[in-house]
Amino acid sequence: MQNKSISDTKFGRDLIEKSGAHIPTGLTIGGVAGTSVWETEVSYNMEAEIRRRLVIAPLLRNVAMKTNVMTIPVNPEAGDATWMANSSFGTTASAGAAQTHQLKEITLNAFKVASLEYVAYEEEEDALMVILPIIRDGMIRRVARAVDKAYLMGAGSGADPVKGLALYDATSAVTATQAGVATIANMRALRKDLGAWGLDPSEVTYVVSTEVYYDLLDDTSFQTMNQVGVQATLLTGQVGSIGNSPVLVSSMFPSKPATGTSSTTTNYGAIAFCPGNFIAGNQRGLRFDTQDMAETQRRVLVASLRTGLQQVTTNLGQGISVFRWIT
């Protein structure tokens, strides 16, 4: 009636989409061959798999860097003044003991982290949906996770040049056997080990592994977030409080080692630290580059950024204490 093929009408296209097992293989209807599979519908709503929360990077103070090396002056605690006896008034001793100012400097370095991926032209052409935003999202997540893990326990050399927080406490004062469990007492011992840095609970943050977190849940003295505020869980990832100091869980910790296999670099279970004693420097934020490669008929995508981590001062201690599993 309309002088059109059935496949050119909405009604006809709906019929063709319903072509399935009820149409024998080899029989062609509307230009579409019958298949031996049931009807298939493709949703364009993308579902994301589980995403591990970034914990360490959002806690740290960030500074912008114009070059890859930045020198920052530091003015630490400079000691105490001298109390004078009345007999010293009017003498050369009346001014107190001579002191020397304690100004020093720290060096913040920015290191590059990058992720690369190739996409063939045919992969884009044959895909049912636009895949570049999906690939871009995955690459950004890779870079973000690499930075979060490096901030927590980076190697400080070689392939991972960032010195992570855990490495600033090379010899832990707080440990537990691999056959045992982590307790609230262990977490309080971490804060005690901070010394002057641990005096103000609001300046201390606990970051624990999943194993330590579940151990704490079995400790009846652990204040879970249903007692100290539900919204903090939704906004910051906080899952509890110990002595008014927040507790967060990071999946970047290594798994609890089996009995007899612990080492000084893989047995981290938790840290207590003062974010104010550490600075994260960013020379360049996340950059995303893409280029077509005609000779291989594909597109190359690169995501990268330059960042680093540095401790501010040690005159009152490291500002971090690490809980480790031992044999």
Side-chain angles (χ1 to χ4, degrees):
M1 293 176 58
Q2 297 181 355
N3 197 25
K4 293 183 179 180
S5 169
I6 188 172
S7 60
D8 293 334
T9 64
K10 182 179 183 303
F11 176 74
R13 286 193 296 270
D14 290 342
L15 290 178
I16 294 172
E17 288 178 0
K18 299 182 182 300
S19 173
H22 56 283
I23 300 178
T25 301
L27 178 62
T28 300
I29 297 181
V32 179
T35 64
S36 59
V37 298
W38 292 102
E39 290 92 335
T40 299
E41 180 179 348
V42 177
S43 172
Y44 290 92
N45 296 321
M46 176 61 61
E47 291 292 334
E49 292 183 326
I50 183 171
R51 300 259 176 137
R52 297 177 180 177
R53 185 185 300 275
L54 303 178
V55 174
I56 304 297
L59 294 175
L60 298 173
R61 182 164 38 123
N62 285 265
V63 298
M65 303 173 61
K66 295 182 178 180
T67 62
N68 65 320
V69 179
M70 175 185 286
T71 299
I72 303 174
V74 177
N75 184 21
E77 283 281 18
D80 301 321
T82 306
W83 289 98
M84 306 309 303
N86 291 348
S87 59
S88 299
F89 295 168
T91 69
T92 56
S94 182
Q99 300 284 346
T100 303
H101 58 269
Q102 302 294 317
L103 288 178
K104 63 177 185 179
E105 60 186 28
I106 60 175
T107 300
L108 182 59
N109 293 279
F111 303 99
K112 183 178 179 180
V113 58
S115 177
L116 177 146
E117 188 163 337
Y118 294 99
V119 182
Y121 292 169
E122 291 76 14
E123 187 177 358
E124 289 187 74
E125 296 165 356
D126 297 343
L128 292 176
M129 60 185 68
V130 180
I131 62 173
L132 280 181
I134 301 172
I135 297 172
R136 185 182 297 111
D137 175 71
M139 296 178 69
I140 293 172
R141 286 288 301 177
R142 287 187 211 130
V143 174
R145 282 174 43 82
V147 170
D148 207 55
K149 185 175 181 179
Y151 283 174
L152 177 62
M153 53 182 188
S157 62
D160 186 355
V162 176
K163 183 176 180 180
L165 292 171
L167 297 179
Y168 285 97
D169 184 23
T171 56
S172 295
V174 183
T175 59
T177 62
Q178 294 163 290
V181 296
T183 64
I184 294 295
N186 294 138
M187 300 300 106
R188 288 176 177 153
L190 287 177
R191 180 179 164 190
K192 178 181 178 181
D193 188 49
L194 290 175
W197 286 108
L199 294 177
D200 187 348
S202 65
E203 294 180 353
V204 178
T205 299
Y206 293 96
V207 183
V208 303
S209 67
T210 53
E211 290 91 350
V212 170
Y213 172 59
Y214 288 116
D215 286 346
L216 294 178
L217 287 180
D218 292 332
D219 194 318
T220 56
S221 59
F222 180 59
Q223 289 182 312
T224 53
M225 285 310 295
N226 63 345
Q227 295 171 301
V228 296
V230 177
Q231 285 208 341
T233 302
L234 301 176
L235 299 178
T236 67
Q238 184 178 340
V239 294
S241 176
I242 299 175
N244 293 325
S245 296
V247 179
L248 297 91
V249 181
S250 173
S251 61
M252 299 302 174
F253 281 98
S255 299
K256 183 178 179 180
T259 302
T261 61
S262 65
S263 68
T264 57
T265 56
T266 62
N267 59 358
Y268 305 123
I271 64 172
F273 79 110
C274 296
N277 195 35
F278 297 90
I279 295 179
N282 296 303
Q283 180 190 358
R284 169 166 54 79
L286 184 67
R287 172 173 174 167
F288 198 90
D289 299 294
T290 180
Q291 183 178 3
D292 290 337
M293 304 176 66
E295 69 275 14
T296 56
Q297 293 289 285
R298 57 181 179 173
R299 181 174 298 173
V300 58
L301 302 95
V302 178
S304 66
L305 60 80
R306 301 189 70 176
T307 187
L309 176 68
Q310 181 62 48
Q311 185 182 52
V312 176
T313 183
T314 59
N315 67 322
L316 294 177
Q318 298 291 336
I320 182 167
S321 184
V322 180
F323 168 80
R324 282 185 170 92
W325 302 106
I326 60 173
T327 55

